[in-house]
Amino acid sequence: MVKYVYFFGNGKAEGDGSDKNLLGGKGAGLAEMTNLGIPVPPGFTITTEACIAYQKNKTYPEGMWEQTLEALKKLEETTKKKFGSNENPLLVSVRSGARVSMPGMMDTILNLGLNDETVKGLATSSNNERFAYDSYRRFIQMFSNVVLGVEHSKFEKLISEVKKGKGYSLDTDLTAEDWKGLVEKFKALVQNETGKPFPQDVMEQLKLAINAVFDSWDNQRAKTYRKINKIPDDWGTAVNVVAMVFGNMGNDSGTGVAFTRNPSTGEKEFFGEFLINAQGEDVVAGIRTPEPISRLKDEMPGVFAQLEEVYKKLESHYKDMQDIEFTVERGVLYMLQTRSGKRTARAAVKIAYDMYKEGLIDKKTAVLRVAPEQVDQLLHPMIDPKEKYTPIAKGLPASPGAAVGRVVFTADDAESWAAKGEKVILVRDETSPEDIGGMHAAEGILTATGGMTSHAAVVARGMGKCCIVGCGSIHIDEDEKVFTVGNITVKEGDFITINGSTGEVILGKVKLVDPELSGEFAEILSWADEFRKLGVRTNADTPHDSKVAREFGAEGIGLCRTEHMFFEGDRIDAVREMILADTEEERVKALAKVKPYQKEDFKGIFKAMDGFPVTVRLLDPPLHEFIPHTDEDIQKVANASGIPFDVLKKKRDELHEFNPMLGHRGCRLGITYPEIYEMQVYAIMEAACEVAKEGVKVYPEIMIPLVGHYKELEMLREMTVRVADEVMHKYGITLKYLVGTMIELPRAALTADEIAQYAEFFSFGTNDLTQTTLGLSRDDSGKFLPFYVEKGIYKEDPFVSLDLNGVGQLVEMGVTKGRKTRPDLKTGICGEHGGDPASIFFCHRVGLNYVSCSPYRVPVARLAAAHAALKQQ
Ligand code: PEP
Ligand code: MG
């Protein structure tokens, strides 16, 4: 018989912290804390396996319900209460808990087990009638919303009416009689909305609640969250049924959430919030603004001391920052959750660094604690320190970085504006799990209410989005689509800048600057370098980018796209002259004008990369990219260059191709117009010789693009070597240089053994290789590819993350075949995938020598390469 239900209580648990996959994060944490002797209310966990089995045809797997009833009996014995009793009733919470936390994405029900009879028992056993009826109405509200689908706001409206009628301002003003009356109104509302009475049978309540939690695994917001966070659909959620403890029993009770270190900055400080006389949902939902945890020290010193002891124990036990939830019932502390805390990249770096220095974890663990996907956040823009500005409002700095964008007030608008290419800031009173798509689409998030642990704060930190919460001075009018601060009105579409590191809101656009590596981050990256096997280079075509990349740790250039240089300044005129030339003679004349520019560019890059290899790719794009397309633009160029309009237009028509990406580009240009490539090789080698004479260590690698047949490379290699030898001879020096090719056509991968005869290196151009393998246009597929990803045909955009089953096979084959011919063949990747952690794992596995990515991805790649090496061990 499969075991589906795991009990914990009385200082002993059937599972433990290592059972995360089976019990979910929450269930494993509760079991582990129980075993550690930390005060946890007793309960049981129904496994994720049960959830997966249930999903198949919405029925429980065999034995699950019987095991649940057994565990419930044990729970009654442990608590000395009885489920459904009208004297001393046992109440439970029913909560979801997946392997990884998905804050607020799935359902929770508290106070389950209350009905018209048991509420009386609760009033007697607690000697607090007001509390009993407050709990009952909370239960009806939550259960009806989660399980029966009655809108939350309809209940809130009834509460508001009573408050208004009686002249109360706070919920805490309502008396036992008020709540009693509301319970009746709530039940009538449920009858009205669902056509059935509110369920009074506690067993039915339990079953429905368990089903609802199982079902919530497949609600829209959970699905969206999983997609964004790459969580597999087949993990399922566990269900935790735990004896209720009450934070709403009066002023000696309360509830809170805390982190053992600051989740935003990583500082070593106990960080969190609590609410007196409240239940857990009140804190997380951002309904009441909670107080900082330090105040608990004044209000309940004994409890605070105990809590301190517990959190220290948890942190040294788990050797990681913990996110904890607790409730105090009449002065007694209970822990309701512990899990590894979500943190910003900045905090992840600081915590990993500090914990290594504290001797809590080793270097490898420290490196593995910082997720490559996450550090991208640290490389996000900040407000230029030189900028002067006056903030119009200040909230809590919930997630760092800065963002500029147009104000929108709904998640839907954020998504649709972003789809049109607008940068937006999502401004809301508070966010809810339904807003997840809009939060993802926005540059940043600003909320008027909520604390550092509110939904917006937690989710934004996880996404690495800049976020400000609890900005109480802004007043949002969603209907009018404006917000006001004092006498300033900000309309939908107006630009604002937000600084998630300070909480400042600024009207208009403020200049942002790119970040630098912090000392601790730089150190962690240097530890990563000790473990990684892959080299990390950069794709750069200017001395500036080369410098940036070097500062981020790039060990050379893996791709310098020479065509970018053709557009700079007035050299485009000479390039156009070259393209418009009708004879070889004219072309050579025009090329002679281009060459000095190219040479200067290369010298700048070689100097910036002193000591490191630089792969320069010869001209790749179709020539028509360099001449204007519309008649209007042609006229402008005609005016500026003196070339007649008709000549330009004729050339444009001549160069037109139906499929330019499969057309006259790459080495095909070098084959048909050898003088173009020749000029480039002269420029590269002359530049190299000249800087070498100045003492620069230069390692040029000349790369021929879009080779599909070894004969193309054979011919072009011959030319390259001839020119290089001639130049070195002229300068009287010998340089070590390489000639290689890009593997970016399936035929090149398939015949890599032949091609390797003429190549000293291969660089996988996975942008084109993806395009040509999948038959998907790099430029046009954006219109339908997202749909493919949504439907799960491709798990991810294959232009972002390498299609391992398809394109990956070609890469692997290219490496194997190439090395068969030439064992010391150097191999790398220079498509966009070179900066994508999952693709980098693959590159490590197939034994590439290096990856090359854009300068700002270099730190991500260094870390991902280390993770790949460490995880393979
Ligand atoms: C590639 O195709 O992967 C590549 C790096 O070259 P480009 O993007 O310039 O075509
Ligand atoms: Mg390419």
Side-chain angles (χ1 to χ4, degrees):
M1 172 66 72
V2 183
K3 185 167 173 62
Y4 288 113
V5 179
Y6 286 70
F7 187 81
F8 53 88
N10 280 337
K12 255 197 343 269
E14 291 181 327
D16 63 39
S18 65
D19 294 323
K20 250 190 198 164
N21 293 358
L22 189 65
L23 303 182
K26 183 172 293 179
L30 288 168
E32 186 81 0
M33 283 197 289
T34 304
N35 289 332
L36 285 172
I38 287 170
V40 172
F44 54 88
T45 304
I46 307 174
T47 64
T48 54
E49 275 174 7
C51 173
I52 295 303
Y54 168 87
Q55 299 298 351
K56 291 201 184 97
N57 47 12
K58 302 280 170 193
T59 48
Y60 297 150
E62 199 191 322
M64 186 203 105
W65 182 245
E66 291 70 24
Q67 292 176 32
T68 302
L69 293 179
E70 253 172 63
L72 189 65
K73 212 163 123 224
K74 220 162 154 185
L75 192 57
E76 289 177 332
E77 286 160 12
T78 309
T79 55
K80 302 193 175 62
K81 294 180 181 174
K82 221 170 150 43
F83 194 52
S85 148
N86 46 20
E87 280 165 16
N88 187 18
L90 167 67
L91 304 190
V92 294
S93 64
V94 179
R95 309 177 74 174
S96 61
R99 265 188 224 189
V100 293
S101 96
M102 298 170 54
M105 291 303 133
M106 288 176 303
D107 290 331
T108 287
I109 296 147
L110 302 181
N111 307 312
L112 188 135
L114 280 172
N115 60 25
D116 292 350
E117 295 308 314
T118 57
V119 69
K120 292 178 196 154
L122 184 65
T124 321
S125 66
S126 64
N127 195 19
N128 187 338
E129 196 177 29
R130 182 190 181 282
F131 153 76
Y133 281 91
D134 178 26
S135 301
Y136 191 21
R137 70 88 194 173
R138 283 173 188 265
F139 172 55
I140 299 176
Q141 211 168 334
M142 215 178 230
F143 188 91
S144 305
N145 179 243
V146 170
V147 180
L148 309 174
V150 184
E151 259 176 61
H152 185 75
S153 60
K154 294 193 168 147
F155 296 100
E156 289 298 322
K157 198 164 154 249
L158 292 173
I159 299 177
S160 293
E161 280 167 14
V162 170
K163 275 159 78 175
K164 212 165 165 194
K166 303 237 172 176
Y168 301 152
S169 63
L170 297 174
D171 283 9
T172 39
D173 296 335
L174 276 87
T175 64
E177 286 310 308
D178 294 331
W179 287 128
K180 245 187 217 176
L182 272 165
V183 161
E184 291 310 312
K185 288 190 175 135
F186 278 13
K187 286 195 294 183
L189 175 69
V190 172
Q191 172 84 48
N192 235 335
E193 293 281 319
T194 65
K196 282 189 220 142
F198 184 81
Q200 292 288 318
D201 176 353
V202 292
M203 281 301 174
E204 187 192 348
Q205 291 176 357
L206 181 61
K207 233 180 197 168
L208 289 173
I210 292 170
N211 296 352
V213 172
F214 279 164
D215 289 336
S216 70
W217 177 253
D218 264 337
N219 69 28
Q220 199 46 51
R221 62 185 198 233
K223 281 187 186 164
T224 308
Y225 187 90
R226 288 206 292 276
K227 203 154 91 205
I228 293 170
N229 291 284
K230 302 188 185 130
I231 298 170
D233 288 335
D234 60 5
W235 279 5
T237 179
V239 183
N240 298 289
V241 180
V242 183
M244 281 297 299
V245 285
F246 297 95
N248 55 337
M249 272 201 168
N251 287 339
D252 55 355
S253 304
T255 184
V257 292
F259 295 88
T260 58
R261 303 194 184 204
N262 186 315
S264 188
T265 64
E267 289 303 323
K268 194 176 178 184
E269 57 177 350
F270 191 41
F271 181 91
E273 299 169 322
F274 80 106
L275 270 175
I276 290 282
N277 198 10
Q279 273 195 341
E281 296 313 292
D282 303 345
V283 183
V284 184
I287 296 167
R288 276 163 64 188
T289 298
E291 301 195 57
I293 198 90
S294 53
R295 291 277 318 274
L296 190 65
K297 204 173 183 168
D298 311 325
E299 310 229 4
M300 300 181 192
V303 169
F304 187 79
Q306 202 188 346
L307 189 60
E308 254 187 326
E309 199 181 303
V310 168
Y311 96 71
K312 284 182 181 157
K313 190 168 180 179
L314 284 172
E315 198 183 84
S316 62
H317 177 73
Y318 281 102
K319 301 184 192 313
D320 195 8
M321 186 264 267
Q322 297 294 296
D323 166 357
I324 59 181
E325 255 181 68
F326 63 91
T327 280
V328 182
E329 180 183 304
R330 290 183 167 155
V332 181
L333 175 72
Y334 293 96
M335 302 306 295
L336 301 184
Q337 176 167 297
T338 189
R339 61 185 177 195
S340 131
K342 276 196 191 302
R343 62 204 79 177
T344 62
R346 184 175 154 206
V349 165
K350 174 132 183 69
I351 291 170
Y353 178 86
D354 286 350
M355 285 192 168
Y356 171 71
K357 294 282 165 186
E358 288 161 29
L360 215 53
I361 56 176
D362 63 12
K363 232 181 215 181
K364 283 181 190 171
T365 310
V367 169
L368 287 170
R369 281 283 166 80
V370 185
E373 294 82 0
Q374 196 185 21
V375 296
D376 189 39
Q377 281 180 35
L378 294 174
L379 309 163
H380 277 315
M382 310 177 305
I383 289 183
D384 185 344
K386 291 192 217 79
E387 286 283 292
K388 299 240 178 315
Y389 55 83
T390 316
I392 55 169
K394 196 162 177 195
L396 301 173
S399 184
V404 181
R406 293 179 188 273
V407 169
V408 291
F409 292 97
T410 69
D412 284 347
D413 286 341
E415 285 191 80
S416 62
W417 288 45
K420 284 183 280 177
E422 291 286 354
K423 294 197 181 316
V424 298
I425 307 282
L426 179 61
V427 181
R428 304 206 35 81
D429 271 323
E430 68 199 27
T431 63
S432 71
E434 276 85 2
D435 294 336
I436 186 101
M439 294 173 76
H440 193 59
E443 299 292 307
I445 298 136
L446 167 63
T447 72
T449 63
M452 293 291 275
T453 48
S454 63
H455 177 264
V458 172
V459 172
R461 274 202 292 276
M463 287 180 175
K465 285 256 141 115
C466 127
C467 175
I468 299 173
V469 298
C471 190
S473 59
I474 67 167
H475 298 281
I476 300 172
D477 185 334
E478 214 179 280
D479 296 334
E480 292 296 315
K481 302 204 169 194
V482 295
F483 77 78
T484 54
V485 191
N487 52 15
I488 300 169
T489 301
V490 181
K491 297 189 296 297
E492 180 185 60
D494 288 353
F495 272 102
I496 60 169
T497 302
I498 60 174
N499 186 347
S501 310
T502 59
E504 290 166 327
V505 181
I506 304 146
L507 202 55
K509 298 192 223 179
V510 181
K511 185 169 169 239
L512 305 184
V513 289
D514 294 325
E516 285 169 26
L517 293 189
S518 77
E520 284 144 356
F521 187 30
E523 186 124 355
I524 290 207
L525 287 174
S526 78
W527 300 344
D529 294 343
E530 293 173 23
F531 301 119
R532 70 181 158 90
K533 301 274 183 291
L534 278 168
V536 176
R537 298 197 193 181
T538 190
N539 294 356
D541 11 270
T542 62
H544 172 262
D545 285 358
S546 310
K547 211 169 138 268
V548 170
R550 255 194 105 142
E551 278 159 16
F552 283 145
E555 301 154 315
I557 289 182
L559 174 64
C560 169
R561 294 176 163 105
T562 50
E563 57 269 19
H564 291 175
M565 305 166 175
F566 281 26
F567 285 98
E568 294 266 307
D570 39 308
R571 60 186 75 175
I572 187 69
D573 294 340
V575 172
R576 285 186 176 134
E577 203 181 312
M578 180 263 291
I579 295 167
L580 293 167
D582 283 323
T583 64
E584 186 186 326
E585 202 184 339
E586 276 174 39
R587 200 157 32 243
V588 170
K589 223 171 92 200
L591 280 165
K593 292 187 195 167
V594 183
K595 196 179 102 184
Y597 291 122
Q598 287 252 289
K599 197 163 130 186
E600 278 316 302
D601 290 332
F602 295 140
K603 284 172 82 170
I605 291 169
F606 288 145
K607 282 183 193 165
M609 276 292 162
D610 189 358
F612 287 124
V614 175
T615 307
V616 184
R617 178 178 73 186
L618 303 187
L619 193 65
D620 181 53
L623 294 181
H624 72 85
E625 284 195 9
F626 300 100
I627 57 169
H629 286 175
T630 64
D631 283 1
E632 201 186 331
D633 288 342
I634 292 178
Q635 189 60 58
K636 270 192 218 151
V637 172
N639 295 346
S641 64
I643 303 168
F645 177 86
D646 289 343
V647 174
L648 278 168
K649 201 167 157 175
K650 191 167 146 260
K651 200 74 192 176
R652 177 199 64 185
D653 295 340
E654 258 174 49
L655 291 173
H656 171 79
E657 291 179 304
F658 285 106
N659 279 319
M661 281 311 235
L662 300 178
H664 198 184
R665 58 171 287 221
C667 67
R668 299 158 195 175
L669 293 170
I671 300 281
T672 50
Y673 303 127
E675 53 284 2
I676 300 180
Y677 273 20
E678 228 169 68
M679 175 280 286
Q680 290 197 294
V681 178
Y682 274 112
I684 294 166
M685 292 309 291
E686 286 176 15
C689 289
E690 286 175 23
V691 297
K693 289 208 156 180
E694 294 169 28
V696 174
K697 287 202 184 65
V698 56
Y699 305 99
E701 300 182 343
I702 297 169
M703 180 153 81
I704 318 285
L706 217 76
V707 164
H709 197 291
Y710 76 89
K711 285 190 181 165
E712 291 169 316
L713 188 62
E714 184 183 12
M715 282 169 77
L716 292 168
R717 179 188 174 86
E718 206 177 279
M719 175 281 292
T720 305
V721 171
R722 173 176 50 78
V723 173
D725 287 349
E726 181 193 321
V727 173
M728 290 191 295
H729 187 254
K730 190 176 105 195
Y731 282 86
I733 46 175
T734 310
L735 292 177
K736 205 169 163 288
Y737 73 96
L738 302 179
V739 183
T741 184
M742 296 189 70
I743 302 291
E744 48 185 347
L745 295 177
R747 194 180 191 285
L750 293 164
T751 60
D753 46 351
E754 294 174 359
I755 291 175
Q757 298 174 80
Y758 304 95
E760 282 142 333
F761 66 89
F762 281 175
S763 180
F764 288 89
T766 46
N767 302 333
D768 275 311
L769 192 58
T770 300
Q771 165 168 264
T772 49
T773 303
L774 276 59
L776 270 179
S777 162
R778 284 166 70 169
D779 306 302
D780 303 318
S781 58
K783 289 187 193 121
F784 60 89
L785 202 49
F787 189 74
Y788 262 59
V789 176
E790 199 165 300
K791 293 282 164 209
I793 297 173
Y794 289 115
K795 250 196 184 143
E796 279 193 76
D797 183 334
F799 289 106
V800 175
S801 199
L802 204 64
D803 159 39
L804 300 186
N805 284 345
V807 180
Q809 280 198 51
L810 287 172
V811 173
E812 198 165 1
M813 179 189 295
V815 174
T816 313
K817 287 195 158 194
R819 287 202 177 134
K820 210 150 150 210
T821 303
R822 190 188 286 267
D824 63 344
L825 182 78
K826 214 180 197 186
T827 56
I829 181 176
C830 63
E832 285 307 302
H833 307 92
D836 167 63
S839 311
I840 293 170
F841 268 65
F842 168 82
C843 294
H844 169 87
R845 188 173 68 67
V846 300
L848 294 192
N849 298 98
Y850 66 87
V851 297
S852 187
C853 56
S854 64
Y856 284 93
R857 299 294 291 179
V858 167
V860 177
R862 286 166 70 191
L863 199 54
H867 277 226
L870 288 171
K871 284 180 184 161
Q872 203 180 37
Q873 285 177 6

